[in-house]
Amino acid sequence: MEKNNKAVVVFSGGQDSTTCLFWAMKKFDEVEVVTFDYNQRHKEEIEVAREIAGEMDVRHHVLDMSLLNQLAPNALTRNDIEVKDGEDGELPSTFVPGRNLLFLSFATILARQIGAKHVVTGVCETDFSGYPDCRDIFIKSLNVTLNLSMEDDFVVHTPLMWLDKAQTWEMADQLDAFNYVREKTLTCYNGIRGDGCGECPACQLRRNGLETYVAQKEVNQ
Ligand SMILES: [Zn+2]
C-alpha cells in the first residue's frame, strides 16, 4: 500500500475501529486516534481505547461529547434502556441520531488542527443494523460538506464499508492483527473484552463473523 501523509482514526477500541487502526498504520506515515466520550454505558470503552493506543504508540485524543446524551438518551448511554435490535423497520435502541455526523465532523476539525488530510472510520453499510449514518452515500455527502465548510480537501476513508463481519476478521488477519483484535478489543454491550458476554447483539454479530471466517479459512487450507 502507498504510504502518504497523516491520518486520524475514529477509534472506540472495538473490533472495527481497531482493524481500521492497523489498516491506517500500514497506509499512512503518521496516525493519531480520536475517541469520543459520550457517557457510554461502559467507561471501560475509553480505557480500552487508551490502552490500545498506548500499545500501538499512537497519540490518543479523547473528546467530550456528553452533549449527545443530553440530546438523545439511548441504550448505549443509559442503563435503564434495553439494548435490542430494531424490528419491522424500526431503528435499534442503540441508535444515536446524528452520531456519525457529529463524530466525523469533530474528527475532521481535529484533523485540520493536527495537519492530517485523512480521516478513517470503521462504519460499514453491509450489516449496518439500520443506522442511516453508516451508509456510503451519507459518508460521501458529509465528506463533500466538510471540505466545503473548511475549504479543504480531506479524504474520509471507510475501509470496512462493504465488508461483512467475517471479511472484517479476514482483513485483521491479513494485517497480522487477528489475535490482537480478538483478545484486546471491546465490542460487547456488557463491557466484557475479547469474546465478550456472548449474549448481547454486538457479541452475537462478532461471534457469527468470527466463526464464519474461521470455518472458511479451514476449508481453504
Ligand atoms: Zn456481549
Side-chain angles (χ1 to χ4, degrees), residues 188-190 196-200 203:
C188 174
Y189 289 142
N190 289 311
C197 74
E199 301 295 325
C200 72
C203 278

Side-chain angles (χ1 to χ4, degrees), residues 152-165:
D152 214 321
D153 55 350
F154 298 103
V155 183
V156 179
H157 299 263
T158 54
L160 310 184
M161 181 57 77
W162 307 109
L163 305 186
D164 61 24
K165 277 279 179 254

Side-chain angles (χ1 to χ4, degrees), residues 13-20 160 165 168-169 181 185-187 206:
Q15 176 196 353
D16 292 346
S17 63
T18 304
T19 304
C20 284
L160 310 184
K165 277 279 179 254
T168 303
W169 282 111
V181 170
T185 62
L186 171 65
T187 307
R206 175 172 160 140

Side-chain angles (χ1 to χ4, degrees), residues 11 24 35 60 75 78 81 195:
F11 187 61
T35 302
H60 187 212
R78 291 262 298 265
I81 302 176
D195 291 338

Side-chain angles (χ1 to χ4, degrees), residues 52-193:
I52 294 174
E55 286 179 5
M56 307 277 282
D57 203 22
V58 294
R59 188 167 167 212
H60 187 212
H61 306 264
V62 179
L63 297 185
D64 177 10
M65 294 286 287
S66 52
L67 66 95
L68 207 56
N69 194 38
Q70 210 178 329
L71 290 168
N74 74 94
L76 288 186
T77 57
R78 291 262 298 265
N79 284 318
D80 54 340
I81 302 176
E82 191 194 346
V83 173
K84 59 178 182 6
D85 286 328
E87 282 155 19
D88 301 328
E90 252 177 66
L91 285 161
S93 65
T94 49
F95 178 61
V96 183
R99 179 168 54 169
N100 283 327
L101 170 69
L102 293 174
F103 285 7
L104 283 171
S105 298
F106 283 100
T108 307
I109 294 167
L110 174 69
R112 187 184 173 94
Q113 296 301 324
I114 63 171
K117 274 276 179 264
H118 301 272
V119 176
V120 182
T121 169
V123 300
C124 162
E125 180 161 322
T126 312
D127 43 27
F128 79 117
S129 323
Y131 297 177
D133 58 352
C134 289
R135 287 175 297 176
D136 190 51
I137 191 160
F138 164 72
I139 302 294
K140 288 193 163 82
S141 149
L142 180 60
N143 198 157
V144 171
T145 299
L146 287 167
N147 288 349
L148 287 171
S149 74
M150 291 183 265
E151 192 133 291
D152 214 321
D153 55 350
F154 298 103
V155 183
V156 179
H157 299 263
T158 54
L160 310 184
M161 181 57 77
W162 307 109
L163 305 186
D164 61 24
K165 277 279 179 254
Q167 290 167 320
T168 303
W169 282 111
E170 184 179 14
M171 179 187 270
D173 204 5
Q174 284 163 352
L175 293 163
D176 292 321
F178 180 84
N179 286 328
Y180 189 93
V181 170
R182 181 163 185 188
E183 285 156 22
K184 300 272 184 163
T185 62
L186 171 65
T187 307
C188 174
Y189 289 142
N190 289 311
I192 303 165
R193 280 191 212 205

